[in-house]
Amino acid sequence: MDDLNRRILRELIRDGRISNLDLADRVGLSPSACLRRVQELERSGVIKGYRAVLDGDKLGLGFVAYVTVGLSQHSKAAQEAFERAVARAPEVRECHNVTGSVEYLLRVEAADLAAYKAFHTEVLGTVPGVNSITSLVVMGSPKDERA
């Protein structure tokens, strides 16, 4: 990973739809050399894909919470069962297995508090082995670089 590839990646993070011509200009390469580098970054798996960044408010998903989940058992089977359950829940946009006093950190999107409460009670609250649930409601996101 050299400096040119890092510059290419920074530009693509800012704007994944940038044309190859503009990208090449911004990083100081010829368009053909820039395209070869981008294609190699894609082939090697450094660039895993491109996505659209959606506005949750405009989609009716203005409520966001980060949720920590503790399990009563720390077995592989308990973790796999939990992961299968959250994979089926469309409200769960991210699921991370973490270290510390809990096993999972979830990013949950819902229409509003009532919809979140229904998810909390009817989905998370019914998953076998869930021992603790702590909700951290997002009040604002002054910096969010997720794509």
Side-chain angles (χ1 to χ4, degrees), residues 13-59:
I13 287 169
R14 278 187 221 136
D15 181 3
R17 292 179 54 118
I18 188 172
S19 72
N20 184 61
L21 191 61
D22 289 340
L23 179 59
D25 185 54
R26 287 187 190 177
V27 299
L29 286 173
S30 70
S32 60
C34 185
L35 182 59
R36 279 193 301 275
R37 282 179 175 263
V38 170
Q39 289 171 335
E40 180 54 33
L41 289 166
E42 291 170 344
R43 263 193 303 279
S44 68
V46 172
I47 297 174
K48 294 169 74 172
Y50 300 89
R51 13 185 105 106
V53 178
L54 307 177
D55 185 323
D57 288 330
K58 291 181 180 174
L59 292 170

Side-chain angles (χ1 to χ4, degrees), residues 79 83 95-99 102-105:
Q79 288 183 340
E83 291 170 12
C95 175
H96 306 278
N97 183 223
V98 297
T99 63
V102 294
E103 282 71 43
Y104 290 94
L105 175 66

Side-chain angles (χ1 to χ4, degrees), residues 3-19:
D3 186 55
L4 276 171
N5 281 352
R6 285 185 189 88
R7 288 171 34 210
I8 288 169
L9 293 173
R10 276 194 301 271
E11 293 299 328
L12 288 173
I13 287 169
R14 278 187 221 136
D15 181 3
R17 292 179 54 118
I18 188 172
S19 72

